[in-house]
Amino acid sequence: MWHARRAFVLAGLGAAALPVAAQVDVGSASRMRSLVPAETLESSATQQYHQLLAQARAQRALAPEGHPQLVKLRTIARRLIPFTAQWNPRAREWQWEVNLIGSKQINAFCMPGGKIAFYTGILDQLKLTDDEIAMVMGHEMAHALREHARSRIAKSQATGIGLSLGAQLLGLGDLGNMAANLGTQLLTLKFSRSDESEADLVGLELAARAGYDPQAAVSLWRKMGEATGNSGVGFLSTHPSGPERIRELERNVPRVEGLYEQARGR
């Protein structure tokens, strides 16, 4: 168990990379997301994230500054973050955070606004390499960058299923109350198959640009598939593995190998 230390904020990490042409094809982001104010959702995410950290701190399960695994995660994040703004200009203003929670759960996430958490279970039980960690982190960042949570919430309301935001989606209600209501939903949202595919490809490119081997995306999801029979695989409940997922990654690895080689040469 760990003694609590302050959260580490990954802000001011230097100049972001200039936007360049994407090598993977994921199409346009959903227009439905505009129904939910980005600022409100990001504020709600920050609130829920800090509540989660407080719970972990109370249980002495929040990794302290200097913990080797936490240092590794933050080093990887520093390499990925400069390439995020080309996917979402708002990322330049996000106060990125990375924290590690002691738990046997195989799980990791990035909430809207760049709030990242890994559980020790995903690192230890899957014995992830640095390249594979970068693929997990890139994938989770991609969900935030492509605003999948924002789109899913908007679509749920538009179809009358899921969250009851009512007129607040149209700016007619109290946005503060809306943020509080949204916060309880963010970690339980399940993304669509197309969202997952998009996050795989955007994450693959982010990691390749940062100098991480794109082949690791394939080995990562093979490990995930092998872990299906284990208990506590929370990650797979929202990110199911399967042969088609792996085949799609294999088809796209060659598209980003040049980016990887360029990054290694810098």
Side-chain angles (χ1 to χ4, degrees):
M1 306 298 276
W2 295 314
H3 294 292
R5 300 280 182 89
R6 62 180 177 81
F8 177 64
V9 179
L10 290 163
L13 296 176
L18 292 174
V20 289
Q23 301 302 299
V24 297
D25 182 12
V26 294
S28 302
S30 170
R31 294 182 180 180
M32 290 291 293
R33 71 191 193 285
S34 63
L35 292 175
V36 177
E39 297 86 351
T40 302
L41 189 59
E42 290 165 12
S43 174
S44 175
T46 298
Q47 182 180 8
Q48 187 178 5
Y49 183 76
H50 289 155
Q51 287 173 352
L52 180 69
L53 296 185
Q55 292 171 2
R57 186 178 295 113
Q59 298 168 0
R60 295 186 176 180
L62 186 65
E65 304 295 318
H67 186 281
Q69 288 180 320
L70 180 58
V71 170
K72 178 183 293 189
L73 290 172
R74 290 176 175 172
T75 298
I76 292 170
R78 285 190 181 97
R79 288 173 58 175
L80 293 173
I81 289 169
F83 301 98
T84 57
Q86 72 178 85
W87 294 101
N88 187 334
R90 291 186 61 81
R92 292 189 181 94
E93 310 302 324
W94 289 354
Q95 296 296 301
W96 294 88
E97 293 188 45
V98 180
N99 281 282
L100 175 66
I101 296 172
S103 169
K104 292 182 179 179
Q105 289 187 55
I106 296 179
N107 214 345
F109 62 81
C110 178
M111 299 177 79
K115 306 305 184 186
I116 299 170
F118 272 66
Y119 293 82
T120 53
I122 196 169
L123 303 177
D124 297 338
Q125 295 186 49
L126 299 187
K127 296 179 171 58
L128 298 184
T129 66
D130 286 10
D131 294 300
E132 290 167 342
I133 293 170
M135 296 301 156
V136 175
M137 191 176 291
H139 174 99
E140 294 306 312
M141 284 178 165
H143 278 308
L145 293 167
R146 298 292 283 177
E147 299 184 298
H148 290 157
R150 193 177 169 202
S151 297
R152 294 297 294 170
I153 291 168
K155 289 174 183 177
S156 295
Q157 176 60 20
T159 57
I161 300 173
L163 306 180
S164 299
L165 303 183
Q168 293 171 338
L169 278 173
L170 303 177
L172 303 179
D174 182 350
L175 293 181
N177 289 337
M178 186 179 81
N181 292 335
L182 286 173
T184 62
Q185 307 292 331
L186 291 174
L187 290 180
T188 59
L189 282 178
K190 290 189 177 182
F191 299 120
S192 68
R193 185 173 298 179
S194 62
D195 288 344
E196 287 298 316
S197 177
E198 190 174 293
D200 281 348
L201 300 187
V202 173
L204 176 69
E205 180 160 321
L206 281 174
R209 288 188 185 278
Y212 292 101
D213 187 353
Q215 293 288 347
V218 176
S219 62
L220 166 68
W221 287 103
R222 284 178 177 156
K223 285 184 178 181
M224 287 291 182
E226 292 168 359
T228 303
N230 297 342
S231 60
V233 189
F235 194 82
L236 290 174
S237 68
T238 52
H239 304 73
S241 181
E244 179 52 36
R245 184 170 210 155
I246 292 173
R247 282 194 293 268
E248 184 174 19
L249 283 165
E250 288 175 330
R251 288 193 293 268
N252 280 274
V253 163
R255 297 185 180 184
V256 299
E257 283 182 330
L259 300 175
Y260 168 57
E261 294 299 332
Q262 290 173 17
R264 291 186 67 194
R266 287 198 296 266

